[in-house]
């Protein structure tokens, strides 16, 4: 059974960098797209971007200047870095498999931006 | 990119049918047949219930069905059950390898 698990700090200071890691278990990263999606409190879902198994990436144009997603196939992990965060980046962050259809999701991790 | 447009809420009684709409533009729904729908219960991760407009993943009841006409996709839930009460989100491929979600619809089962 394919499972994803997010990990990382739950609190980030304004202007700093948010860093999260997603770990895959029970499956392979080969020939798949791996995305991050976020959900601010009480609001809808927003696709952040993906990394393909080859390492190629693509990002939501609204976040592109601040986002980097990278892959470590040996660890079966992929990571999100979001720079210069503000309170508007406070959200539940999910990792998910796919890039327009998301069939496997992590449980989500809450990240709060606050001093 | 603006979020796809969904009604904020819909409601129905057990056994009834409800339909949730998802409206986009010619740049997303109007061009691509890659619409997916997700069910999200409070405090839980979203769950894929429809993909490629009409397809259901294994294990999703056939009470859930999807359709699309032009710039609008729809999710219909027939034979409503209390456990269907949740938030529902549509998502579309938006070109250039990007995805766009709807704002979400809260389904209340009366």
């Amino acid at each position: 059974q394919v499972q994803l698990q997010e990990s990382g700090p739950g609190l980030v200071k304004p202007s700093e960098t948010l860093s999260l890691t997603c770990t895959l278990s029970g499956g392979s990263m080969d020939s798949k797209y791996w995305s991050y999606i976020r959900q601010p409190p009480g609001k809808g879902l927003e696709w952040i971007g993906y990394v393909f198994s080859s390492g190629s990436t693509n990002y939501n144009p609204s976040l592109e200047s601040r986002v980097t997603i990278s892959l470590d196939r040996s660890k079966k992990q992929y990571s999100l870095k979001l720079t210069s965060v503000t309170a508007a980046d406070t959200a539940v962050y999910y990792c998910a498999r796919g890039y327009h259809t998301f069939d496997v999701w992590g449980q989500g991790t809450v990240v709060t931006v606050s001093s | 990119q603006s979020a796809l447009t969904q009604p904020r809420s819909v409601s129905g009684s057990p056994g009834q049918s409800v339909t949730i709409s998802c409206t986009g533009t010619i740049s997303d729904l109007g061009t691509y047949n890659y619409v997916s729908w997700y069910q999200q219960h409070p405090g839980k991760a979203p769950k894929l219930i429809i993909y490629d407009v009409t397809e259901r993943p294994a294990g999703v009841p056939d009470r859930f069905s999807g359709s699309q006409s032009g710039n609008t996709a729809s999710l219909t839930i027939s034979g409503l059950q209390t456990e269907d009460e949740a938030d529902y989100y549509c998502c579309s491929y938006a070109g250039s390898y990007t995805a766009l979600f709807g704002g979400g619809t809260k389904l209340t089962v009366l």
Side-chain angles (χ1 to χ4, degrees):
Chain A
Q1 181 185 0
V2 178
Q3 292 185 317
L4 295 169
Q5 177 70 57
E6 305 88 351
S7 59
L11 181 64
V12 181
K13 291 182 167 54
S15 80
E16 295 191 346
T17 297
L18 179 160
S19 296
L20 295 175
T21 296
C22 183
T23 302
L24 170 68
S25 60
S28 168
M29 303 201 90
D30 293 346
S31 301
K32 298 289 186 186
Y33 295 86
W34 305 94
S35 286
Y36 277 97
I37 295 160
R38 70 180 183 178
Q39 185 172 34
K43 296 187 178 181
L45 301 166
E46 180 180 35
W47 175 75
I48 298 170
Y50 73 72
V51 58
F52 186 56
S53 55
S54 65
S56 64
T57 57
N58 202 34
Y59 306 124
N60 186 322
S62 68
L63 297 169
E64 187 168 17
S65 63
R66 298 193 293 132
V67 173
T68 302
I69 299 176
S70 59
L71 181 71
D72 186 335
R73 293 174 59 124
S74 65
K75 295 182 178 179
K76 296 176 75 172
Q77 293 179 334
Y78 63 109
S79 298
L80 168 70
K81 291 190 184 302
L82 182 65
T83 62
S84 304
V85 297
T86 69
D89 296 309
T90 293
V92 177
Y93 284 76
Y94 295 99
C95 55
R97 186 173 71 179
Y99 77 93
H100 62 74
T101 297
F102 307 100
D103 62 343
V104 179
W105 293 68
Q107 66 184 26
T109 188
V110 177
V111 179
T112 302
V113 178
S114 176
S115 56
Chain B
Q1 289 182 330
S2 297
L4 304 174
T5 301
Q6 297 182 235
R8 300 230 16 195
S9 63
V10 297
S11 62
S13 299
Q16 288 186 333
S17 294
V18 294
T19 296
I20 299 171
S21 62
C22 171
T23 301
T25 70
I26 190 65
S27 299
D28 37 70
L29 282 176
T31 298
Y32 305 104
N33 294 324
Y34 292 124
V35 179
S36 51
W37 289 89
Y38 303 85
Q39 177 191 63
Q40 186 180 36
H41 287 108
K44 300 294 188 181
K47 173 189 173 184
L48 177 67
I49 56 172
I50 295 288
Y51 67 98
D52 292 355
V53 180
T54 62
E55 302 299 307
R56 276 187 311 276
V60 174
D62 60 7
R63 303 186 295 104
F64 294 88
S65 62
S67 63
Q68 181 176 353
S69 178
N71 295 350
T72 299
S74 299
L75 171 71
T76 298
I77 309 171
S78 58
L80 268 179
Q81 299 183 3
T82 55
E83 58 262 38
D84 297 334
E85 185 162 294
D87 293 327
Y88 292 83
Y89 293 90
C90 61
C91 182
S92 175
Y93 178 63
S96 301
Y97 286 78
T98 64
L100 190 59
F101 281 97
T105 299
K106 181 177 180 59
L107 169 62
T108 301
V109 181
L110 304 169

